[in-house]
PDB file of all heavy atoms in Angstrom:
ATOM      1  N   MET B 149     101.907 191.501-153.532  1.00 97.00           N
ATOM      2  CA  MET B 149     102.207 192.180-154.799  1.00 97.00           C
ATOM      3  C   MET B 149     100.993 192.091-155.734  1.00 97.00           C
ATOM      4  O   MET B 149     100.588 193.080-156.346  1.00 97.00           O
ATOM      5  CB  MET B 149     103.428 191.527-155.460  1.00 97.00           C
ATOM      6  CG  MET B 149     103.817 192.059-156.829  1.00 97.00           C
ATOM      7  SD  MET B 149     102.833 191.398-158.196  1.00 97.00           S
ATOM      8  CE  MET B 149     103.411 189.710-158.284  1.00 97.00           C
ATOM      9  N   SER B 150     100.396 190.910-155.814  1.00 98.00           N
ATOM     10  CA  SER B 150      99.278 190.738-156.743  1.00 98.00           C
ATOM     11  C   SER B 150      98.103 191.622-156.344  1.00 98.00           C
ATOM     12  O   SER B 150      97.474 192.256-157.184  1.00 98.00           O
ATOM     13  CB  SER B 150      98.844 189.267-156.812  1.00 98.00           C
ATOM     14  OG  SER B 150      98.211 188.889-155.617  1.00 98.00           O
ATOM     15  N   MET B 151      97.852 191.700-155.050  1.00 98.00           N
ATOM     16  CA  MET B 151      96.700 192.487-154.595  1.00 98.00           C
ATOM     17  C   MET B 151      96.951 193.985-154.743  1.00 98.00           C
ATOM     18  O   MET B 151      96.056 194.742-155.113  1.00 98.00           O
ATOM     19  CB  MET B 151      96.369 192.146-153.144  1.00 98.00           C
ATOM     20  CG  MET B 151      95.832 190.734-152.993  1.00 98.00           C
ATOM     21  SD  MET B 151      94.967 190.498-151.438  1.00 98.00           S
ATOM     22  CE  MET B 151      96.247 190.882-150.295  1.00 98.00           C
ATOM     23  N   GLN B 152      98.192 194.403-154.428  1.00 98.00           N
ATOM     24  CA  GLN B 152      98.514 195.827-154.550  1.00 98.00           C
ATOM     25  C   GLN B 152      98.502 196.252-156.021  1.00 98.00           C
ATOM     26  O   GLN B 152      97.991 197.318-156.363  1.00 98.00           O
ATOM     27  CB  GLN B 152      99.879 196.119-153.903  1.00 98.00           C
ATOM     28  CG  GLN B 152     100.168 197.614-153.765  1.00 98.00           C
ATOM     29  CD  GLN B 152      99.105 198.353-152.946  1.00 98.00           C
ATOM     30  OE1 GLN B 152      98.821 197.994-151.797  1.00 98.00           O
ATOM     31  NE2 GLN B 152      98.464 199.360-153.544  1.00 98.00           N
ATOM     32  N   SER B 153      99.086 195.410-156.892  1.00 98.00           N
ATOM     33  CA  SER B 153      99.110 195.740-158.327  1.00 98.00           C
ATOM     34  C   SER B 153      97.686 195.832-158.865  1.00 98.00           C
ATOM     35  O   SER B 153      97.350 196.743-159.625  1.00 98.00           O
ATOM     36  CB  SER B 153      99.857 194.669-159.130  1.00 98.00           C
ATOM     37  OG  SER B 153     101.084 194.401-158.546  1.00 98.00           O
ATOM     38  N   PHE B 154      96.872 194.862-158.463  1.00 98.00           N
ATOM     39  CA  PHE B 154      95.470 194.858-158.895  1.00 98.00           C
ATOM     40  C   PHE B 154      94.788 196.158-158.448  1.00 98.00           C
ATOM     41  O   PHE B 154      94.130 196.840-159.243  1.00 98.00           O
ATOM     42  CB  PHE B 154      94.750 193.643-158.300  1.00 98.00           C
ATOM     43  CG  PHE B 154      93.330 193.492-158.746  1.00 98.00           C
ATOM     44  CD1 PHE B 154      93.017 192.752-159.875  1.00 98.00           C
ATOM     45  CD2 PHE B 154      92.299 194.083-158.044  1.00 98.00           C
ATOM     46  CE1 PHE B 154      91.693 192.617-160.295  1.00 98.00           C
ATOM     47  CE2 PHE B 154      90.980 193.958-158.461  1.00 98.00           C
ATOM     48  CZ  PHE B 154      90.679 193.220-159.585  1.00 98.00           C
ATOM     49  N   ALA B 155      94.994 196.512-157.166  1.00 98.00           N
ATOM     50  CA  ALA B 155      94.370 197.733-156.626  1.00 98.00           C
ATOM     51  C   ALA B 155      94.885 198.966-157.376  1.00 98.00           C
ATOM     52  O   ALA B 155      94.095 199.867-157.697  1.00 98.00           O
ATOM     53  CB  ALA B 155      94.674 197.849-155.132  1.00 98.00           C
ATOM     54  N   ASP B 156      96.173 198.999-157.673  1.00 98.00           N
ATOM     55  CA  ASP B 156      96.728 200.151-158.399  1.00 98.00           C
ATOM     56  C   ASP B 156      96.072 200.280-159.772  1.00 98.00           C
ATOM     57  O   ASP B 156      95.802 201.387-160.243  1.00 98.00           O
ATOM     58  CB  ASP B 156      98.253 200.011-158.567  1.00 98.00           C
ATOM     59  CG  ASP B 156      98.975 200.147-157.224  1.00 98.00           C
ATOM     60  OD1 ASP B 156      98.346 200.623-156.263  1.00 98.00           O
ATOM     61  OD2 ASP B 156     100.160 199.763-157.141  1.00 98.00           O
ATOM     62  N   GLY B 157      95.849 199.151-160.416  1.00 98.00           N
ATOM     63  CA  GLY B 157      95.184 199.169-161.722  1.00 98.00           C
ATOM     64  C   GLY B 157      93.762 199.698-161.606  1.00 98.00           C
ATOM     65  O   GLY B 157      93.328 200.537-162.404  1.00 98.00           O
ATOM     66  N   VAL B 158      93.030 199.222-160.596  1.00 98.00           N
ATOM     67  CA  VAL B 158      91.652 199.694-160.378  1.00 98.00           C
ATOM     68  C   VAL B 158      91.674 201.206-160.129  1.00 98.00           C
ATOM     69  O   VAL B 158      90.889 201.962-160.714  1.00 98.00           O
ATOM     70  CB  VAL B 158      91.002 198.971-159.166  1.00 98.00           C
ATOM     71  CG1 VAL B 158      89.631 199.565-158.845  1.00 98.00           C
ATOM     72  CG2 VAL B 158      90.884 197.476-159.425  1.00 98.00           C
ATOM     73  N   ASN B 159      92.603 201.641-159.278  1.00 98.00           N
ATOM     74  CA  ASN B 159      92.625 203.060-158.901  1.00 98.00           C
ATOM     75  C   ASN B 159      93.022 203.959-160.062  1.00 98.00           C
ATOM     76  O   ASN B 159      92.537 205.086-160.164  1.00 98.00           O
ATOM     77  CB  ASN B 159      93.536 203.269-157.691  1.00 98.00           C
ATOM     78  CG  ASN B 159      92.944 202.595-156.458  1.00 98.00           C
ATOM     79  OD1 ASN B 159      91.723 202.463-156.362  1.00 98.00           O
ATOM     80  ND2 ASN B 159      93.783 202.140-155.551  1.00 98.00           N
ATOM     81  N   THR B 160      93.898 203.456-160.947  1.00 97.00           N
ATOM     82  CA  THR B 160      94.230 204.253-162.138  1.00 97.00           C
ATOM     83  C   THR B 160      92.964 204.472-162.955  1.00 97.00           C
ATOM     84  O   THR B 160      92.715 205.567-163.451  1.00 97.00           O
ATOM     85  CB  THR B 160      95.279 203.515-163.000  1.00 97.00           C
ATOM     86  OG1 THR B 160      96.416 203.290-162.197  1.00 97.00           O
ATOM     87  CG2 THR B 160      95.662 204.314-164.233  1.00 97.00           C
TER      88      THR B 160
END
Side-chain angles (χ1 to χ4, degrees):
Chain B
M149 176 279 289
S150 71
M151 292 198 301
Q152 190 58 56
S153 310
F154 184 90
D156 291 345
V158 174
N159 293 332
T160 302

